[in-house]
Amino acid sequence: MICKLINLQNKVMRTNRRLLIEQLDKRLNVFQTLESVVIPDKGWVNAIRVSLNMTLAQLGVKLNISRQGVKSIEDNESSGSISIKSMKEVAEALDMKFVYGFSPRDGSIDNLIDKKAEQLATKIVLRANQSMQLENQGIEEYKIKESIVNLAEDIKREMRKSLWD
């Protein structure tokens, strides 16, 4: 009875995790189209300010900081060391909204998990096979591939924390 309850609880957790991944993929999908956006050399703050024909001093007034402070913000953005908080404040001062996000390189979180699970399974199976070969018990290539696929499916289903080591 306890075993059935634990199995049911694990199944519910996997279903919830699956749902969370699907929801996250939908949210992040918006950013896929933005990957081709080229960030201006001097950063967005400078590009927008210059395009609006706004001086450093004028933006400084809106932010309640000096023109040197605005220049520092622009320099920090350009070098990649600006905070999200600062970008939100500048966006607000420019009557805009600051937006940021992540875009999975493999197209989706699900694809990322697939890739990591296959890498981990390959590492585990090949290491085990190497040990077995030392004892003249190695397995055939097709069996290695089959074992990798099966183990990757198990790793993905369980979402082992070792996936991210």
Side-chain angles (χ1 to χ4, degrees), residues 21-34:
I21 290 168
E22 288 173 11
Q23 290 171 343
L24 183 58
D25 268 339
K26 284 181 184 176
R27 285 175 158 169
L28 295 179
N29 193 37
V30 173
F31 294 102
Q32 290 287 322
T33 58
L34 300 176

Side-chain angles (χ1 to χ4, degrees), residues 83-100:
S83 71
I84 291 171
K85 180 181 176 193
S86 292
M87 290 298 283
K88 285 180 179 180
E89 289 170 355
V90 172
E92 187 68 30
L94 292 169
D95 199 22
M96 296 186 173
K97 182 178 179 183
F98 177 69
V99 180
Y100 71 99

Side-chain angles (χ1 to χ4, degrees), residues 5-16:
L5 185 60
I6 290 172
N7 286 339
L8 180 61
Q9 186 178 19
N10 287 339
K11 187 175 182 177
V12 169
M13 286 174 49
R14 282 192 302 270
T15 302
N16 287 344

Side-chain angles (χ1 to χ4, degrees), residues 103-125:
S103 180
R105 286 191 179 113
D106 295 316
S108 70
I109 296 291
D110 205 34
N111 290 347
L112 172 66
I113 293 168
D114 283 342
K115 178 180 151 187
K116 294 294 186 180
E118 185 176 337
Q119 287 173 346
L120 180 58
T122 300
K123 183 178 173 182
I124 292 168
V125 169

